Structures are given as structure tokens and as C-alpha cells.
Amino acid sequence: MATARTSAAARPYHHGSLREALVEAGLSLARTGGPEAVLLRAVSREAVVSHNAAYRHFADHDELLGAVGERCMRNLALLMGTRTDEVRVRQPVKRARAELDAIGRAYIEFAQTEPGWFRTAFAAVKSDQPGDHAQLSAAETPPSAGELNPYQLLSARLDRLVAVGEVPAERRPGAEYSAWSVVHGLSCLLVDGPLRYLPRAEIEVAINTALALVQRGL
Amino acid sequence: MATARTSAAARPYHHGSLREALVEAGLSLARTGGPEAVLLRAVSREAVVSHNAAYRHFADHDELLGAVGERCMRNLALLMGTRTDEVRVRQPVKRARAELDAIGRAYIEFAQTEPGWFRTAFAAVKSDQPGDHAQLSAAETPPSAGELNPYQLLSARLDRLVAVGEVPAERRPGAEYSAWSVVHGLSCLLVDGPLRYLPRAEIEVAINTALALVQRGL
DNA sequence: TGTACATCAGTGAACGCGCGTTCACTGATGTAC
DNA sequence: TGTACATCAGTGAACGCGCGTTCACTGATGTAC
């Protein structure tokens, strides 16, 4: 007998995959509210679980936010991958350029269509350790083979441009910093910053000139 | 006789310039703690005043943060101005390029040496109204003549490059978005983002390649 | 195959914290006459 | 030149809020024998 609590069919006491459910709930909250919305209590509420059940899966709030942030970063990488795959240009040189353009556009598209996730992806980075430089290419993404983070995707496109002869090899070092800065900066200015209320048409101008600058400048 | 309260020489009941004192206190807190540290109570504490005295000068917390943010933005503009004035190149064309480089470097320098102010300058922008596009050039800076905000400083440099024949006129529209994006993006990545722990030497590479990209790409 | 018991995953109540904001107030200032 | 009074700028106590975290607990699971 018992549990006349809700109409929900007797949810088992043990959730089975609460960790994943919590991250999913956090993702949902982050989507509309950004990193500020990924609160331990709010996430537990969303997952319909007592608020300290979370402590069985995460040491503290920071660790939860970190896990959600990683997923946001992965979502960004996924969109970049998708948009790259959609490039239909055949000719190798043109294709290399088009692919670089595509990941740049995808980056900005993600920031604009999923501002909450975008902000969470980068907010969560704050809490991680000094670590070494290798972090960029290695960490932030689980070791599951074949998955690349945004930085790695960009590096690959730049390598390709060199391989194809479109970018002189001596310009390759540091190129990811410049290219990344352009799309990241524009994304921040558009999502959060002073360009937030730019009219739609002007936004298009901004995106196009910014990406053109990258293509010309490399 | 009275006020054996502190050893401080009888502070008058009326402060005289509490508004400015509060902004100054907020600036001091923002410097080390960023916008999160600009709390109504903390600021009042810092100014050694009861925490609701602030309500005589600001409608609410947002307005206070806005005022502090404006000052941060002004500090950024001031550094950009100083660094421009330090340019020693005579030849007009070279000078125009050097000045653009200088304000870009100043922007990144500010973000790195005053990360708290940098973040506050842009965090406070969030709370302002949709407004129109003209906002960018007009608002954010008091009407006191002769003071330009960062965006206006950048525009002026770009205009100069066109005037001097270094940048084709048809490339001028939208150019501030690209240039701004580069320095803003790099600043964010270095201060807050995944490039936070980049070794010093690598940071130099990043700054140099990013600014070179702007110069080549325009 | 059945039972004892350690272990794991969840619950519920409570603590302390510092915030923004409001209320009723008091002390100082300046203006009208 | 002096006094009454409105106005302004500050004070101090209080409210409600939601957070992260801790504590002692209970219900379910799986393993040893």
C-alpha cells in the first residue's frame, strides 16, 4: 500500500541515473537562465529529487556547474561539426576556406541562438585549475574517441588551410588565437555586450565583415 | 560634548559628496572583485556610511552598478587615449596604423591589468535599456565635451585610416565591429576564458598575431 | 536457496549567511517672513 | 537679525529570501556464507 503521494507511477527510490538526470536538468536551466540559473537546489528541484541527493554525485556546486558547462561546450562543438559537414564545396582550396567560414558562423550562431548555453560553457571554465597549456587541446572534453572540442576543430581547419597552400606556413603559429578572438569577441558583444540591441540587418553586416577579416587576414 | 564614537575627527552628519564617494568605493571594490563585488551594502560599508544612505543617490542596486560601470568604461577609454598620445611616429600613414595598433593594445592591456574593471565595464551594460543604435556613440559617457568612449575612439582611428588612404573606403562600413571583436574577444579569452593560464610568452604571440590580423585584414 | 549485514542512494530538517529593500526615525540645512 | 518650518541626507532595526552545506536518518541493493 502506501505512496499516495503523487499520481506519478511509483518512481523507484533509486533513480538509476541521477547524475545524468541532474546534468540534463542543469542544461535545461542554463538554456534559459545561463550559469546563474544552475543552482544546486534549482537543479535538484528540476530533477524532482531532494536537494542533497546531488551530493552523492557531485562534491559541490562548482563540480555540478562544471559538468553542465562541459556539456554546453560540447553542444557548441557539435553545432560547429554539423555546419562543417554541410559545406558542399568540392574544390579543395575553396572548401578549406568555406569550412573555416562555416565553423566561425556556427560559433556565432550558437552564441545567438543559445546564449544561455554559450555563457555557461565559458562561465564554468572559470573554476578549473591553472593546469598547463595542453589543457586546451586535451581536457574539457571526455576522452571518448572522435570527439573534438571547439579549439581542436578550429586548429584542424587552420592546418587544412596550410596543407592546401592557402595560408603560408609561417603564419600558422598563433593563428587560432586570432581567429578565435574574432568570433568569440563578436559573440560576446552581440550576446551580452554593447552590441546587444543592434538591428538585425546590422548584425549581419557585423558577422560578414568579421569573418571576411579573418579570411583576408590569415 | 558628544560623539566619543571613533577617533576620527567629527565627521559631519552630511557627507557633502556621498554619491561620488559611493561610486569611488564601488570602483575600489570592482577593481579586485569585479561586478559581483559591487554590492549595495559592501559599497556603503566601504564608504563608511549606513547602507541605506545609498538610496538617497541611487534608485536601486542596478543604478549604482551602472554608475560604477560607466566609470570603468571611462577608465578604459582614458588608457586608450593615453596610449594613442604616446605614439611617436611622424609619417601620417604609418602613424594612422600605429595609432590603431595602440588603441588595440591598450584595450587588451586594460583587460589584463584591470580585469575587475574590465568585467564591470561590460557587466553593467547588461542592465541598460534596449534603446536605439545611436546609444553606442552617444550614451555610456557623460556629455562632458571632449570625452570619447572606446567605440568612438576606434571609429576615429578607422576614419583616419581611410582619410590617409590606407583602407579603401568601401571597407570602412562595419570595420569597427571586426576590429572591436578581435581585441574584445582576445581580452575575454585571456581574462576570463580558456586562455586564462596561457604562459606569458604565448600571450605575447596571441596579442601580436591578433593585432596583425586586424592590420592585414582591413 | 535463504538469510545477515555492509554499502549505497536517497530524504527531511536545520543552520548560517549576506543580500536588497522598506520603515519609521533623527539630525542638519536653508528659506520665508 | 531672529525664528518657524519645510526639506533634505543620513541612521538603525527589521523583513523576507534563497542559497550552499551539514546532520542524522531511512529505504533499497547486493554480496558472503
Side-chain angles (χ1 to χ4, degrees), chain B residues 13-15 18 50 52 56-57:
Chain B
Y13 188 91
H14 285 104
H15 187 286
L18 183 53
S50 122
N52 23 4
R56 294 286 156 198
H57 303 277

Side-chain angles (χ1 to χ4, degrees), chain B residues 63-76:
Chain B
E63 204 172 295
L64 169 60
L65 179 58
V68 175
E70 254 179 32
R71 285 285 302 272
C72 291
M73 193 63 92
R74 182 147 53 170
N75 285 350
L76 168 56

Side-chain angles (χ1 to χ4, degrees), chain A residues 104 107-108 118 176-191 193-195 198 202-214, chain B residues 80 100 103-104 107-108 118 122 150-151 154 158 174-190 206 210-211 213-214 218:
Chain A
Y107 197 101
I108 299 164
F118 181 76
E176 44 270 86
Y177 301 134
S178 322
W180 193 1
S181 293
V182 176
V183 294
H184 188 75
L186 187 53
S187 295
C188 291
L189 292 172
L190 287 173
V191 168
L195 300 185
L198 215 57
E202 200 70 6
I203 291 179
E204 287 306 321
V205 171
I207 296 175
N208 290 328
T209 40
L211 289 172
L213 181 94
V214 175
Chain B
M80 289 168 76
L100 177 65
I103 64 164
Y107 197 101
I108 299 165
F118 180 75
F122 289 95
Y151 179 80
L154 172 59
L158 291 171
E176 44 271 85
Y177 302 134
S178 322
W180 193 1
S181 293
V182 176
V183 293
H184 188 75
L186 187 53
S187 295
C188 291
L189 292 172
L190 288 172
L211 290 173
L213 182 94
V214 174
L218 282 178

Side-chain angles (χ1 to χ4, degrees), chain B residues 37-119:
Chain B
V38 185
L39 300 164
L40 223 147
R41 292 177 99 110
V43 168
S44 304
R45 220 148 41 219
E46 181 85 2
V48 197
V49 97
S50 122
H51 61 266
N52 23 4
Y55 285 97
R56 294 286 156 198
H57 303 277
F58 302 97
D60 54 18
H61 169 252
D62 247 42
E63 204 172 295
L64 169 60
L65 179 58
V68 175
E70 254 179 32
R71 285 285 302 272
C72 291
M73 193 63 92
R74 182 147 53 170
N75 285 350
L76 168 56
L78 286 173
L79 185 67
M80 289 168 76
T82 303
R83 293 290 178 262
T84 308
D85 294 346
E86 285 168 8
V87 171
R88 287 284 160 266
V89 185
R90 272 269 147 69
Q91 203 275 319
V93 173
K94 282 192 176 170
R95 183 179 184 96
R97 293 203 96 106
E99 285 183 349
L100 177 65
D101 196 75
I103 64 164
R105 293 201 115 88
Y107 197 101
I108 299 165
E109 178 191 349
F110 185 81
Q112 292 203 283
T113 57
E114 299 292 355
W117 282 350
F118 180 75
R119 293 201 295 115

